[in-house]
Amino acid sequence: MTLLKNINYPADLRKLSRSQLHALADELRTFLLESVAQTGGHLSSNLGTVELTIALHYVFNTPEDRIVWDVGHQTYPHKILTGRRDRMPTLRQQNGLSGFPRRDESEYDTFGTAHSSTSISAALGMALAARTKGESRHAVAVIGDGAMTAGMVFEALNNAGVYDDINLLVVLNDNDMSISPPVGALNRYLARLMSGKFYAAAKNMGKSVLPPSMRELAKKLEEHAKGMLVPATLFEEFGLNYIGPIDGHDLESLIPTLQNLKNLTGPQFLHVVTKKGQGYKLAEADPILYHGPGKFDPSEGIKPAVSKTTYTQVFGEWLCDMAVEDGKLIGITPAMREGSGMAKFEKYFPDRYYDVGIAEQHAVTFAAGLACEGMKPVVAIYSTFLQRAYDQLIHDVALQNLDVTFALDRAGLVGADGATHAGNYDIAFLRCIPNMVLMAASDENECRQMLTTAYRYPGPAAVRYPRGAGTGAAIKPELTTIELGKGIIAREGERVAILSFGTMLAPSLKAAAELNATVANMRFIKPLDTALLLQLAATHDLLVTIEEGAIMGGAGSAVAEVLAAAGVVRPLLQLGLPDKFIDHGEVPQLLAQCGLDAAGIVASVNHRLSNIESKVEANSH
């Protein structure tokens, strides 16, 4: 690591000769592999962006020039080269480096990302701000081919193409499309030629000196000639000057092309082809397995681990079982086949499986259209990504009371991915929507039952469940439902009644054993079991609601609303996630930090009981 150890910031990188950059790339890739193997994190995507990261920081004057990384899971090389190499052992751990760009972490992280397809919009805003302020800085958006499936990208391209006096570069990091990697001297020559001033000047001169009739002919000839060599037409129709595709691992092609593009004015589009897992054969062979691994030995690779059944696996098995029973079932995912547990469903029911790309808005309205024709769509979507389709959820599904089932994976805290991926708000934003049914699973078997209940409910219904393994509950194979809007008593006690929603049942029962409290597994957030709630209010001195979701507007708020409407005055303690974004870390640590482990519940309840008793004593005097 003779070169890398001396690169603390990009200014150090720019002191190297071009010939040294190849060795630096090798050192950076080795360091990256060894580091991620120790901490876990995204690997394949980062191995694929080593040369591109070096080239961007070598050519552009960062942080004065802005680089916006779409999604941001490919920014580990960027972090290593921008002053955070020594902190890489803390990656994705509590109080450590984030796995994504964060503005409060480094001035080189110009825009916080983690959700897809935001980079071009943000970079365009930065480029236009620079123009308004009379500054000459560049804005670069680095976006993957998967992110290009989102409508927001094309909204941004449509907007960007009308400004011919901005310093905006869009770099398409193409690592999955079926495009043969372009290699060789001819490709390098074409990329340099098409990005050079001579080519740009020749185009402009031709437009200015030819008569109108000849200009149109020349334009058509140019488009035809370029179209034979490169897939340029789409992006040039948006008003961006398209260059590429070029080999994203070839620094001798990348650097001169970027240098030429830096000298052009107007929106530019560079298409680079990279390989996920580049330089590590195991990741190259299986980039999905190595997309986000835990800790592993690089010399041996990832070994299969025996673990409890996850909620995602419960959903995947349920989906296949229900599809056998009902030929109208359609499975939909917005580009999360593996993440949402739908690989088996795609294998056995390919004609009823739809991956719509990173297009959550389209996914929901697409499901609504299927439901209009009597099909039974199931939308498997992470809680955090459903936020992106809120208008479609209300306007296209709920308003029309259409029969769409939503399987909300990653509800609640998600651990190492942090605030950007935590599903903390679905309870609050779903329960206020008319016609919506919302359930929260406390264990794996209940999750399966709730999915069946939601599917058979003739309207919009959602089941929220967490990331990772459950409690180890036995899963019954039958496709049984539970009574709509009915909770159950999980433990009988005195004075204190804990109303648990979803994953909080286990710590609630543990706390209740110490408190001798009653515990209700409420199961439904909407419709709420008002009869059970009022019964508990009449027989207990203190009601406690607990949920792995935001307190504000959450299930506890629903309980408070019912009590107020019924005119019942009873002390109510609402426990849940506080009004702040919760950083990355191990989920048990984060829950304890929020007071949502058994010890935290006991402490909060005892504190409230003490306050109640103090007030009673004061009033008696």
Side-chain angles (χ1 to χ4, degrees), residues 195-275:
S195 63
K197 286 185 176 180
F198 174 79
Y199 179 82
K203 285 202 301 184
N204 292 331
M205 183 177 69
K207 292 172 185 175
S208 63
V209 302
L210 291 175
S213 59
M214 291 297 292
R215 280 185 219 163
E216 191 60 31
L217 175 61
K219 181 181 178 183
K220 288 181 178 178
L221 287 172
E222 176 199 332
E223 288 180 351
H224 180 66
K226 286 185 70 176
M228 288 190 297
L229 296 171
V230 293
T233 307
L234 172 65
F235 300 107
E236 295 216 330
E237 288 298 327
F238 274 111
L240 284 79
N241 179 42
Y242 175 97
I243 309 298
I246 66 173
D247 185 350
H249 300 297
D250 181 2
L251 288 166
E252 297 307 314
S253 180
L254 275 173
I255 289 175
T257 302
L258 287 170
Q259 287 171 333
N260 283 330
L261 286 169
K262 185 179 179 182
N263 293 323
L264 297 180
T265 302
Q268 309 294 322
F269 192 101
L270 175 62
H271 182 173
V272 303
V273 178
T274 62
K275 185 178 183 64

Side-chain angles (χ1 to χ4, degrees), residues 411-413 423-432 438-442 464 466 497-509 519-526 528 543-561 572-579 582 587 590-597 600-601 604:
L413 298 174
N424 298 353
Y425 311 108
D426 55 84
I427 294 176
F429 72 65
L430 286 175
R431 76 173 191 85
C432 63
L438 178 59
M439 293 167 265
S442 66
R464 75 187 309 259
I498 300 175
L499 285 65
S500 173
F501 294 88
T503 55
M504 292 293 97
L505 182 60
S508 294
L509 287 169
V519 177
N521 177 10
M522 297 302 291
R523 304 196 294 191
F524 288 83
I525 297 155
K526 187 179 183 182
L528 197 63
L543 298 179
V544 180
T545 62
I546 182 165
E547 58 195 298
E548 194 176 341
I551 294 174
M552 296 181 69
S557 296
V559 168
E561 291 160 12
L572 174 64
L573 172 62
Q574 293 171 243
L575 301 178
L577 301 178
D579 183 27
I582 299 169
V587 172
L590 299 176
L591 288 173
Q593 178 182 305
C594 296
L596 296 180
D597 59 348
I601 297 169
S604 295

Side-chain angles (χ1 to χ4, degrees), residues 2-14:
T2 56
L3 291 173
L4 184 60
K5 69 179 183 180
N6 293 316
I7 306 297
N8 295 312
Y9 292 98
D12 301 321
L13 169 67
R14 292 189 279 270

